[in-house]
Amino acid sequence: LYNYNIKKIIMEIFSNHIEIHNTQTSSENELDFAPIKLNAIPEGYKAVYEDTDFHSYNIYFENEKKDWLDYTQLSANTDDIFITYDDENGYNRTLTINGMDLNSISDGNNNTILFETDKYIFIFMSNMPEESIVEFIEKSDFSSNTIDQR
């Protein structure tokens, strides 16, 4: 078991999954929740599901080959998050994109990239390679300054 403190969340890494726990108790960010829709869609993909509520936004993309990308935005004070992970076939590492530290997690089949700002937690899950998800995030113009100003 490894513990990482990342701003307002604690990430516990087990051999077969990762648990992300919120350390923020205030609900002030829920009142200000504003969905941040993506300004780029992966080429050849179409949105097949989209939903929003008072503390989350989710959109699921798929292409003709059934490759998929799931984007979720959560309020920073959301409940716990569970992500599958395999320490033998997968990885857990930190990437830096647009000046932000992102966690990249894989179970050997599916890849997840997540990051947080003061207001939000962003999760990109896909069966695409890590590099493709990173490219998509870069095209979507995420930076903590522009996100928290919205």
Side-chain angles (χ1 to χ4, degrees):
L1 168 69
Y2 299 96
N3 286 330
Y4 293 93
N5 286 323
I6 310 167
K7 291 185 185 174
K8 295 179 180 66
I9 61 175
I10 296 173
M11 187 164 45
E12 293 182 296
I13 303 171
F14 300 88
S15 63
N16 63 350
H17 73 283
I18 293 177
E19 296 180 11
I20 299 170
H21 306 284
N22 178 22
T23 62
Q24 183 172 317
T25 56
S26 169
S27 62
E28 66 186 44
N29 284 341
E30 281 187 15
L31 300 174
D32 295 335
F33 185 83
I36 297 176
K37 299 193 177 189
L38 304 175
N39 60 8
I41 296 174
E43 188 173 331
Y45 286 73
K46 65 178 182 176
V48 294
Y49 173 82
E50 186 173 18
D51 188 36
T52 189
D53 61 27
F54 67 95
H55 70 92
S56 69
Y57 171 71
N58 176 251
I59 188 164
Y60 182 89
F61 299 98
E62 205 171 76
N63 68 12
E64 290 179 1
K65 297 185 293 183
K66 300 296 181 194
D67 292 327
W68 55 273
L69 173 74
D70 184 272
Y71 161 65
T72 302
Q73 171 197 353
L74 301 167
S75 173
N77 53 349
T78 191
D79 293 331
D80 296 343
I81 302 166
F82 298 89
I83 299 172
T84 58
Y85 170 69
D86 183 332
D87 63 357
E88 290 182 23
N89 298 313
Y91 55 80
N92 176 31
R93 56 182 165 235
T94 302
L95 308 172
T96 301
I97 300 174
N98 297 334
M100 296 187 310
D101 289 333
L102 290 74
N103 292 85
S104 182
I105 303 160
S106 177
D107 64 6
N109 294 311
N110 299 315
N111 301 304
T112 301
I113 295 179
L114 68 96
F115 59 97
E116 67 174 320
T117 66
D118 288 339
K119 288 185 175 182
Y120 305 115
I121 297 170
F122 297 91
I123 304 169
F124 293 84
M125 300 174 78
S126 181
N127 62 348
M128 294 189 292
E130 176 188 67
E131 300 78 28
S132 298
I133 303 170
V134 167
E135 185 178 307
F136 179 70
I137 293 170
E138 289 174 330
K139 286 181 182 177
S140 296
D141 190 33
F142 279 94
S143 74
S144 59
N145 291 336
T146 58
I147 290 168
D148 284 336
Q149 290 175 1
R150 294 183 190 186

